[in-house]
Amino acid sequence: MSPRFGFDVLAHDPDTAARRGRLTTPHGLIETPAFMPVGTAATVKAMTSEELVSLGFGMILSNTYHLALRPGEGVIARLGGLHRFMNWQGAILTDSGGFQVLSLSERRRITEDGVIFRSHLDGSRLEMTPERSMAIQQALGSDIVMAFDDCPPLPAERERIVAAVDRTTRWARRCREAFRPDDGRALFGIVQGGDDLELRARSVQEIVGLGFDGHAIGGVSVGESAARSRAAVAATAPLLPADRPRYLMGMGTPADLVEMVALGCDLFDCVLPTRNARNGCLFTGTGRILIKQHQYIEDPRPVDESCGCPVCRTCSRAYLRHLYMAGEILSMRLNTLHNLHHYATLMAAARQAIAQGRYAAFVTGFRARQAPVAPGIAAD
């Protein structure tokens, strides 16, 4: 590891695999387990950097593919790097573009050399190779660089998953060779394997053998059932080195976070809290509410009476419903602020429970507080 990057496990829960840790990056210390808000295009939608800091977030995620297209990594590099460009003083992890191999499957072609995309903005050609991904992330100034991988959808034929595992290993090796740990940045490898536990184990062995600074569990929550996602994580996490951070990619309901921390995962990201906020879905200590529902039209209560966020201290459900139904921009901002506060508070409580050796009881209590899922609201 670089002298400016490190990971220390500070405490283990006695009854689960949960662990309390501290991640050292060139832009500060990150207490783990931690959630990273997603700032795909150099912004966490509807939030300022100052608001993210006030909520307690020390690291966010941005996206190599999207920033390469607009405004271009060269523009960002000439303006001082991504931290200065977006006025963010904390750490930044950049996704390599591998997820777009999945999400933009209609606009890309996979070759052994890399992936050829047709831009979703104007149809222009973008060729992403492992070497190109490393160069873009280097130009952005990421603290944690992700290896370029092949993320297959699920369900998929075993042959497709085998090909993705093999290609991910070959590309990971090329990323390792192209990566330059300037200024203390770290490189994480990504484990694939779909919901095939045998392939997961093989991918772990191959990726870990390449000597990365940390490891990510990729290719989960990409079309398979929640039960199969969690089974894949449960089988994969214990195989990863205990002295390196474990990052679970893109799986992030509150229930996911609580359960996956118990399996030994340290870092999380997901668009769920911000995307759901823009769609009027708010998280509370007892589950989710859809603020547009008629029952809230005259409801004077805050979203969550146990929440201390600025929104819950000052706004009623009735007012938030009004803003949402009227299409006011403030609705997106307030809903996002509340949801991110909920996630930050949940992670802080998880860290405290691990440090006190009572994480199993924390999980039991969390489950007991969750109300039955109402009709029309998908289960976590």
Side-chain angles (χ1 to χ4, degrees):
M1 291 188 184
S2 159
R4 296 182 65 193
F5 179 87
F7 180 68
D8 298 298
V9 178
L10 307 178
H12 288 92
D13 180 67
D15 300 311
T16 71
R19 58 207 204 145
R20 170 82 171 82
R22 181 170 294 142
L23 190 65
T24 302
T25 78
H27 287 88
L29 301 176
I30 311 301
E31 304 297 331
T32 66
F35 179 82
M36 297 177 286
V38 175
T40 299
T43 174
V44 176
K45 288 183 172 57
M47 291 289 99
T48 66
S49 294
E50 291 79 8
E51 286 168 330
L52 293 172
V53 171
S54 73
L55 292 173
F57 292 108
M59 182 158 63
I60 64 171
L61 179 147
S62 281
N63 185 274
T64 299
Y65 166 87
H66 288 281
L67 291 175
L69 287 179
R70 184 171 58 188
E73 74 275 15
V75 171
I76 293 175
R78 289 189 292 274
L79 290 171
L82 188 54
H83 291 84
R84 182 175 295 179
F85 183 66
M86 64 181 295
N87 186 35
W88 172 250
Q89 304 307 312
I92 298 176
L93 180 151
T94 43
D95 180 49
S96 65
F99 182 72
Q100 279 65 49
V101 177
L102 166 69
S103 64
L104 299 177
S105 59
E106 300 299 318
R107 308 184 67 90
R108 57 88 175 133
R109 179 168 60 88
I110 301 175
T111 70
E112 181 55 34
D113 194 45
V115 181
I116 299 170
F117 293 98
R118 287 295 174 184
S119 166
H120 66 288
L121 299 176
D122 58 11
S124 60
R125 176 189 171 106
L126 172 66
E127 185 169 358
M128 189 72 75
T129 65
E131 294 79 12
R132 175 86 168 107
S133 179
M134 294 300 98
I136 295 171
Q137 294 180 76
Q138 189 95 11
L140 296 175
S142 314
D143 295 279
I144 297 179
V145 172
M146 298 305 299
F148 190 54
D149 63 320
D150 180 2
C151 181
L154 292 177
E157 296 294 330
R158 192 173 192 275
E159 289 76 10
R160 171 67 180 99
I161 301 175
V162 169
V165 167
D166 292 342
R167 188 176 292 114
T168 292
T169 298
R170 293 193 296 271
W171 286 356
R173 186 175 293 110
R174 289 165 57 186
C175 288
R176 198 77 186 85
E177 293 169 354
F179 174 71
R180 300 195 313 276
D182 301 350
D183 300 323
R185 63 176 51 87
L187 178 63
F188 281 25
I190 303 176
V191 173
Q192 288 293 343
D195 53 1
D196 187 308
L197 304 189
E198 179 185 345
L199 289 176
R200 284 268 167 197
R202 176 159 74 83
S203 184
V204 167
Q205 184 177 21
E206 293 174 354
I207 296 300
V208 169
L210 293 175
F212 290 100
D213 299 306
H215 304 95
I217 301 173
V220 294
S221 198
V222 291
E224 76 279 24
S225 69
R228 293 187 75 84
S229 294
R230 293 177 186 184
V233 177
T236 306
L239 303 178
L240 296 173
D243 64 342
R244 305 294 165 103
R246 301 166 180 162
Y247 164 31
L248 177 58
M249 304 180 76
M251 188 175 175
T253 68
D256 287 335
L257 301 186
V258 170
E259 302 288 347
M260 298 303 106
V261 165
L263 297 177
C265 296
D266 306 302
L267 296 172
F268 305 87
D269 81 283
C270 191
V271 299
L272 201 65
T274 49
R275 179 178 291 171
N276 277 26
R278 298 193 300 276
N279 291 312
C281 179
L282 302 174
F283 294 98
T284 77
T286 57
R288 299 189 275 190
I289 68 171
L290 294 179
I291 202 64
K292 69 180 180 182
Q293 290 181 338
H294 185 78
Q295 62 183 297
Y296 303 122
I297 193 169
E298 295 185 24
D299 193 334
R301 296 173 297 167
V303 170
D304 187 344
E305 293 177 296
S306 65
C307 178
C309 81
V311 180
C312 287
R313 292 200 307 268
T314 59
C315 299
S316 67
R317 295 181 182 187
Y319 181 57
L320 295 176
R321 181 184 186 276
H322 160 71
L323 293 177
Y324 182 79
M325 299 304 290
E328 289 289 342
I329 294 172
L330 184 58
S331 171
M332 292 186 287
R333 281 187 41 76
L334 294 180
N335 291 351
T336 303
L337 182 60
H338 167 78
N339 276 358
L340 287 177
H341 180 275
H342 181 80
Y343 272 59
T345 301
L346 182 65
M347 289 288 92
R351 290 193 294 270
Q352 183 180 47
I354 298 167
Q356 295 173 348
R358 55 175 184 84
Y359 193 72
F362 178 83
V363 174
T364 300
F366 174 87
R367 292 170 178 164
R369 289 190 300 272
Q370 301 306 293
V373 178
I377 303 179
D380 287 344

